Amino acid sequence: MQRKLCPVETIYVAQRSRAVLSCTVRGDLDEELLAAAFAAKVAEHPSLRCRIAVEDGAHVLQPLSADELPRLLVRDGGPGSFTEEFNIPLPVGGPLVRAVLLRGTGEHTVMLSVDHTITDGHSGIALQNALWDAYSALAGELPDGVGEYSEQWPSPVSEQLPPVDAREAEDYLARRVERTRQSPVVCLPYEAVGTERAPGEPELGVQRVLLEPEETSRLLRFAKAEGVSVHGLIAAAALTAVRHRLGGEPGARTLGCLSPVDLRSRLTPPLEREVMVPAVTTCLDVLEVAHDADPLALARQVTENLHSAIERGDFLQELHLMPKVPQYPALLATSVIVTNMGRVSGPVTPAGLEVTDVRLAPAREHYFPQAGRGPLMVCVVSFDGRLGIELPYSAGCFTHEQMDELRAALHTGLLAFAAHRDEAGGTVAVPA
C-alpha cells in the first residue's frame, strides 16, 4: 500500500524541507511515558509511518517496516541543544518524523522534526499539542501497547480543491510569467558566499524575535485601530529591513512578499488541523519600496493586496501552476517569505510540568548559494499571547552578522508599531 504525492507535496521533496517544533518544560519529565505517547501518535497517523520513494518515475509515500518505525530518541543537552538538533536532517529514504527529548538540568526540550511533504504549520502544531495531550492522558501509567494502527491515508489536498478552468489557468500563468519578466524582484545578497566558516560551525542558523505579552497586545491593538493585519505589519517591517539592507539610491526597488495561504479553512468541508498533509499555497505580492517608505502605508498595501488576491482566488491558481515551477523558477522568486500561523494555544502539560517556551521554525537541507542572493524567511506564530518570529537561514548564504542586523531591524520596526502613536502627527516613526 502506497500513495502518490500530489504536486503540492512534491515541491518539498527536492528542498528536503521540514517543520521543526520544540517545547521546553520545567519539572520531572518521564521519558518512558513520552515515548509511549509518541508511539501512539505514530500509530494514529499513517503519514508518520512512511518514507518517500520513487515508483515508475513518480514520488510516492511508502510504508516503513515495523523495525523502521520512528521512536523517541533521548539525548542530554536540554534547551541549549536546540541548534544542534535543528541541524540534524531527516534521513533520506527513512522516517518522515523524528522526536527527540533533550534532557537538561531542571528544564528539558522536546523537539519534533516533520517532513513538509506530510505537514504544514497547522498540522505540525496540532501534532505537537496532541503529543502532550497523549502524555497527560497516560496519567503516569504505561499502556499495554500502542493500540490499533490507522490505515486510512489522508487524501492529497489537491484532490479536495474545486476545479480551475484550464483556459483561466493558462491566462493566469501567462500573466505571472510576464510580471516576473517585466518586474524582477530584488533579493538580499548572500554575504556568506566566498567566506570560510569556522570548523564545526552549524550549517543552519536561526535568529529569533520574541515580543513580551504586553508588546504583543499593543501590536494587536495598533493593527486593529489602523485596520491592517498583524501579518501586514510584520511583512512591512521585514520589507523595510530588506530595503534598508540593500542600500543604494533612495528610490524605489522592486521587492516581493510571498505569503502562504491556509487551505484548510477554505475547503468544503473544512480540513481538520490534525490531518497530516501540507494544506497550503501562496500568494506573491510585488511592491515598489523606497528607502524612505512609510512602513504603515506599506503594511496597509500588503494587507489590502493579500485580501484582494484571496478574494480573486489567486491562491487556487498558484496551487495549479506548481507543476510549472521547474520550467519557470522565477515564479517563486521573492524578497521575503512571511509565514503566519496566527494566535494558537501551546501544549497543555500535566501537573508538575510547566511549559517555558514553544517554537516553530522551518528548516531545509538544500539551499543554492550559487544564486548569489535570496529571500529572507520570516516564520511567525503567537503561542499563548507572545508573538514569536523565527528567521532560519543557511550559514552558507547569509552571515550571522547579516542576519543579526536584519533581526534587530525587524524587532525595532515591530516595537515602533507597538509604541504609542505620535500625538502631534498621528504617525508611527520607524527608525531606519
Side-chain angles (χ1 to χ4, degrees):
M1 176 181 168
Q2 60 187 26
R3 176 170 77 71
K4 185 178 178 180
L5 295 182
C6 75
V8 179
E9 297 164 335
T10 304
I11 200 74
Y12 297 111
V13 174
Q15 297 176 352
R16 301 283 320 283
S17 178
R18 53 193 163 93
V20 181
L21 301 104
S22 76
C23 177
T24 299
V25 296
R26 181 182 297 124
D28 187 15
L29 179 62
D30 189 320
E31 64 184 62
E32 290 186 333
L33 290 181
L34 186 63
F38 178 62
K41 294 299 104 182
V42 170
E44 182 179 331
H45 297 283
S47 301
L48 302 181
R49 306 195 306 273
C50 65
R51 63 163 59 87
I52 297 173
V54 177
E55 291 285 342
D56 298 325
H59 288 96
V60 298
L61 295 178
Q62 192 176 78
L64 297 163
S65 64
D67 60 351
E68 293 176 310
L69 293 180
R71 294 171 175 81
L72 178 72
L73 305 175
V74 181
R75 293 200 293 269
D76 292 332
S81 295
F82 175 91
T83 300
E84 179 184 351
E85 171 59 27
F86 187 77
N87 271 269
I88 300 176
L90 291 168
V92 176
L96 302 182
V97 62
R98 180 175 63 247
V100 181
L101 167 59
L102 301 172
R103 276 208 167 277
T105 304
E107 279 193 327
H108 321 284
T109 295
V110 178
M111 295 183 66
L112 290 173
S113 293
V114 192
D115 196 298
H116 265 306
T117 56
I118 61 168
T119 194
D120 52 22
H122 288 302
S123 57
I125 292 170
L127 177 63
Q128 177 176 247
N129 290 349
L131 173 64
W132 287 104
D133 289 344
Y135 178 89
S136 299
L138 292 174
E141 295 185 7
L142 285 172
D144 294 333
V146 297
E148 294 187 11
Y149 283 89
S150 170
E151 301 296 342
Q152 186 64 42
W153 290 77
S155 300
V157 69
S158 55
E159 294 181 1
Q160 306 176 53
L161 295 171
V164 170
D165 181 86
R167 180 60 182 271
E168 290 181 2
E170 290 179 5
D171 291 343
Y172 182 84
L173 174 62
R175 291 196 301 272
R176 283 279 278 109
V177 171
E178 181 62 16
R179 185 173 70 174
T180 61
R181 188 187 67 81
Q182 291 188 349
S183 303
V185 300
V186 180
C187 301
L188 283 167
Y190 286 154
E191 295 183 10
V193 175
T195 64
E196 292 188 7
R197 297 202 307 274
E201 181 183 355
E203 166 65 25
L204 303 180
V206 186
Q207 295 275 0
R208 192 184 193 195
V209 174
L210 185 63
L211 299 190
E212 296 299 327
E214 180 53 34
E215 293 170 339
T216 302
S217 295
R218 289 203 302 267
L219 187 69
L220 292 173
R221 290 196 298 269
F222 176 77
K224 183 176 181 180
E226 293 295 335
V228 299
S229 66
V230 173
H231 178 83
L233 294 177
I234 295 169
L239 288 165
T240 301
V242 168
R243 178 64 188 89
H244 290 162
R245 186 75 189 183
L246 290 170
E249 297 299 320
R253 305 289 292 274
T254 303
L255 304 184
C257 179
L258 190 70
S259 299
V261 177
D262 173 43
L263 292 172
R264 294 174 184 267
S265 60
R266 295 177 170 86
L267 298 175
T268 305
L271 188 65
E272 297 294 331
R273 294 190 174 198
E274 291 77 12
V275 180
M276 299 297 297
V277 293
V280 65
T281 182
T282 58
C283 283
L284 176 64
D285 194 5
V286 179
L287 310 104
E288 298 299 318
V289 182
H291 194 279
D292 59 351
D294 175 12
L296 179 55
L298 189 57
R300 202 178 305 282
Q301 188 178 1
V302 170
T303 300
E304 293 173 354
N305 289 354
L306 182 56
H307 286 172
S308 296
I310 291 175
E311 289 177 2
R312 291 193 304 266
D314 287 2
F315 62 95
L316 290 177
Q317 296 286 2
E318 290 289 324
L319 191 68
H320 283 278
L321 66 74
M322 281 290 183
K324 303 290 186 181
V325 169
Q327 295 176 248
Y328 307 101
L331 291 173
L332 293 183
T334 186
S335 310
V336 299
I337 302 172
V338 186
T339 70
N340 196 336
M341 298 299 104
R343 289 177 282 178
V344 299
S345 298
V348 177
T349 53
L353 280 181
E354 176 192 1
V355 176
T356 60
D357 196 14
V358 186
R359 302 179 69 172
L360 165 63
R364 288 173 54 182
E365 315 318 330
H366 291 167
Y367 285 84
F368 192 63
Q370 298 91 329
R373 56 188 61 243
L376 173 68
M377 182 72 182
V378 181
C379 181
V380 185
V381 61
S382 297
F383 282 112
D384 295 326
R386 296 191 73 186
L387 179 71
I389 302 176
E390 307 284 352
L391 307 174
Y393 61 99
S394 165
C397 297
F398 295 117
T399 65
H400 303 308
E401 294 76 15
Q402 184 182 15
M403 290 300 301
D404 187 57
E405 291 176 8
L406 287 164
R407 178 205 57 78
L410 177 60
H411 195 186
T412 299
L414 292 178
L415 291 180
F417 282 134
H420 293 293
R421 300 180 69 192
D422 181 78
E423 296 181 358
T427 60
V428 175
V430 181

